[in-house]
């Protein structure tokens, strides 16, 4: 009976009477209760988005569209009747919109440049490592070629062996003649 009660206790979810789950003491807290937790984001996805925006801001298409919007804004607020205008001269709302766009564009462009700098730095390090390996390989091959040349300098050639054999034959013939004379 007691074993059954114990198993029933372990299978029940740990909760208090108020409906909130009780925290476990064997696990650390993930956040502070009572403080507002900010939403998390993926920095890689945000970086890619900033690069796409910065890439678009640097195109002629963006400049053309921005020019069209500004001209339409100015024409709307100068040529149309006063009751449909939403931004009277000196175009304070247009200035605010352009300032807001610039205040977001500049950090996004800087973020994209920083990411590109990081990629360039990694590529440079890889190129430097590859160059170092190529230099080491070249030095090794140079030493091997020098060793082969040195080894070839000590190798007996066919003419050298022929001349040595001829001198040995002459010497043997000389010894044979001297032994016949005796």
């Amino acid at each position: 009976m007691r074993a059954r009660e114990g198993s029933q206790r372990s299978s029940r979810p740990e909760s208090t009477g108020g409906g909130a789950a009780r925290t476990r003491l064997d696990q650390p807290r993930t956040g502070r209760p009572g403080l507002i937790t900010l939403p998390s984001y993926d920095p890689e996805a945000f970086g890619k988005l900033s690069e796409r925006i910065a890439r678009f801001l640097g195109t002629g298409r963006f400049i053309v569209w921005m020019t069209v919007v500004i001209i339409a804004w100015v024409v709307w607020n100068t040529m149309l009747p006063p009751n449909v205008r939403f931004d009277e001269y000196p175009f304070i709302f247009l200035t605010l919109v352009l300032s807001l766009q610039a205040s977001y564009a500049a950090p996004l462009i800087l973020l994209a440049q920083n990411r590109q700098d990081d990629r360039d730095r990694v590529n440079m390090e890889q190129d430097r490592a590859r160059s170092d390996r190529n230099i080491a390989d070249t030095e090794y091959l140079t030493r091997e070629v020098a060793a082969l040349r040195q080894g070839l300098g000590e190798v007996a050639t066919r003419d050298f062996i022929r001349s040595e054999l001829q001198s040995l034959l002459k010497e043997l013939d000389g010894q044979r003649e001297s032994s016949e004379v005796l």
Side-chain angles (χ1 to χ4, degrees), residues 5-171:
E5 286 175 7
S7 66
Q8 287 175 352
R9 268 191 223 139
S10 63
S11 66
R12 280 190 241 151
E14 294 182 13
S15 64
T16 59
R22 198 170 81 191
T23 59
R24 294 183 53 174
L25 296 177
D26 62 337
Q27 295 178 348
R29 289 188 211 165
T30 57
R32 293 183 179 180
L35 292 180
I36 298 172
T37 58
L38 297 175
S40 63
Y41 69 98
D42 181 17
E44 187 65 25
F46 187 74
K48 287 181 182 179
L49 176 67
S50 70
E51 285 178 343
R52 287 178 42 204
I53 292 171
R55 202 169 287 123
F56 174 69
L57 291 177
T59 63
R61 181 186 296 171
F62 171 75
I63 293 172
V64 167
W65 279 109
M66 191 67 144
T67 305
V68 167
V69 167
I70 291 173
I71 289 173
W73 189 298
V74 170
V75 168
W76 182 284
N77 288 296
T78 55
M79 302 291 182
L80 292 178
N83 59 349
V84 293
R85 294 179 188 170
F86 58 89
D87 191 16
E88 292 290 327
Y89 178 79
F91 305 116
I92 294 173
F93 188 50
L94 175 63
T95 305
L96 176 68
V97 168
L98 291 175
S99 297
L100 184 65
Q101 182 267 333
S103 69
Y104 275 97
L108 288 174
I109 291 169
L110 288 175
L111 179 63
Q113 285 178 342
N114 288 340
R115 286 173 52 89
Q116 185 62 43
D117 288 344
D118 292 341
R119 280 193 298 272
D120 290 345
R121 188 176 310 111
V122 167
N123 286 338
M124 257 190 339
E125 289 171 1
Q126 289 174 348
D127 288 346
R128 188 175 297 123
R130 191 177 306 117
S131 176
D132 290 343
R133 283 192 308 270
N134 286 342
I135 289 171
D137 290 345
T138 304
E139 289 174 351
Y140 171 76
L141 291 174
T142 303
R143 285 191 301 271
E144 288 296 313
V145 167
L148 286 173
R149 281 186 179 170
Q150 200 172 28
L152 282 176
E154 296 173 2
V155 171
T157 62
R158 187 174 22 176
D159 294 334
F160 174 75
I161 293 174
R162 187 174 290 144
S163 67
E164 287 294 315
L165 286 174
Q166 286 175 353
S167 67
L168 280 174
L169 283 174
K170 285 180 187 176
E171 194 176 309

Side-chain angles (χ1 to χ4, degrees), residues 167-182:
S167 67
L168 280 174
L169 283 174
K170 285 180 187 176
E171 194 176 309
L172 285 174
D173 287 340
Q175 286 179 356
R176 199 180 296 156
E177 288 175 3
S178 64
S179 65
E180 287 177 2
V181 171
L182 284 173

